[in-house]
Amino acid sequence: MPDLDSFHAASQTSLPLEQTALSDQLLAECNYDLKEVSALMEPLRNAPQRCQQTGRYIQAIATQCTGFIATNLGGQAQLAEVTPMSSTWLVGRSEGCTIQLQHRTISRRHAVIGRYSFGFYIADLGSLNGTWVNQHRLEPARRIVLEDGDLIQFGMIKVEFFLAKPEFALLHADETAVC
């Protein structure tokens, strides 16, 4: 098993700046315990096998201070792309969107996925072809809480949403923590 110093050094040299920040935050939030980091990453490894309906997924991870998502919507269904830490992620055709979907039924700025406490929400941004959750069309700008296993539809693109809330994050939760 690698030691923490070699793991940290490798993450500093081989990851882009936003991914380095993600790895530093995750290490700190996991009390520098590599077993906890591994447990946190397990849902990312299992997301492709969880797909039951579409083969496309958004895997969200929520800990006390960190929120990030991984998706295979980038064009290569076998490869997951992990987004930088954030509190919101834009979905659409625009290059400024964190999750880019190049399809004629997708608006430039179609929807937003956001993080709150230990969960995630979605809101349509007034897209022409709509955003749907479990076959219910969202009203523009209305936030809907996402649950593990929800089916999201952006225009004609269907995506399965998976949510992981690692147990250790709940055990280490501290209402007074400053993130």
Side-chain angles (χ1 to χ4, degrees):
M1 178 181 231
D3 63 33
L4 184 59
D5 291 333
S6 62
F7 175 79
H8 189 47
S11 72
Q12 294 292 327
T13 59
S14 62
L15 295 173
L17 183 56
E18 62 271 2
Q19 299 297 351
T20 301
L22 177 64
S23 66
D24 287 346
Q25 179 70 31
L26 287 176
L27 282 170
E29 201 162 336
C30 294
N31 297 319
Y32 297 92
D33 183 333
L34 293 182
K35 287 180 183 177
E36 288 187 6
V37 173
S38 179
L40 179 68
M41 301 311 279
E42 188 68 25
L44 297 178
R45 290 189 291 269
N46 294 332
Q49 292 79 28
R50 290 194 62 201
C51 288
Q52 300 291 312
Q53 302 176 51
T54 70
R56 298 184 194 103
Y57 65 86
I58 294 173
Q59 171 68 64
I61 305 286
T63 65
Q64 183 177 4
C65 296
T66 306
F68 64 96
I69 57 179
T71 181
N72 66 346
L73 297 174
Q76 296 180 323
Q78 303 302 323
L79 299 177
E81 179 180 336
V82 177
T83 66
M85 290 182 302
S86 187
S87 59
T88 59
W89 298 267
L90 283 175
V91 179
R93 285 192 339 258
S94 172
E95 287 185 24
C97 293
T98 309
I99 301 174
Q100 293 182 17
L101 294 170
Q102 300 302 323
H103 191 271
R104 69 184 188 288
T105 63
I106 305 297
S107 298
R108 283 186 211 105
R109 291 175 43 124
H110 195 98
V112 63
I113 296 174
R115 178 182 177 271
Y116 71 95
S117 302
F118 284 101
F120 289 81
Y121 66 86
I122 189 167
D124 184 81
L125 296 176
S127 65
L128 179 63
N129 294 304
T131 302
W132 305 70
V133 175
N134 299 325
Q135 302 178 351
H136 298 285
R137 188 172 183 155
L138 304 183
E139 296 174 23
R142 182 167 176 243
R143 293 178 179 182
I144 301 295
V145 174
L146 289 168
E147 301 289 337
D148 186 56
D150 280 346
L151 181 64
I152 302 171
Q153 184 172 335
F154 304 104
M156 292 181 65
I157 305 296
K158 293 182 179 181
V159 179
E160 293 175 71
F161 180 81
F162 304 127
L163 177 59
K165 300 178 191 178
E167 288 181 27
F168 74 84
L170 299 173
L171 293 174
H172 296 309
D174 179 359
E175 295 296 327
T176 63
V178 178
C179 299

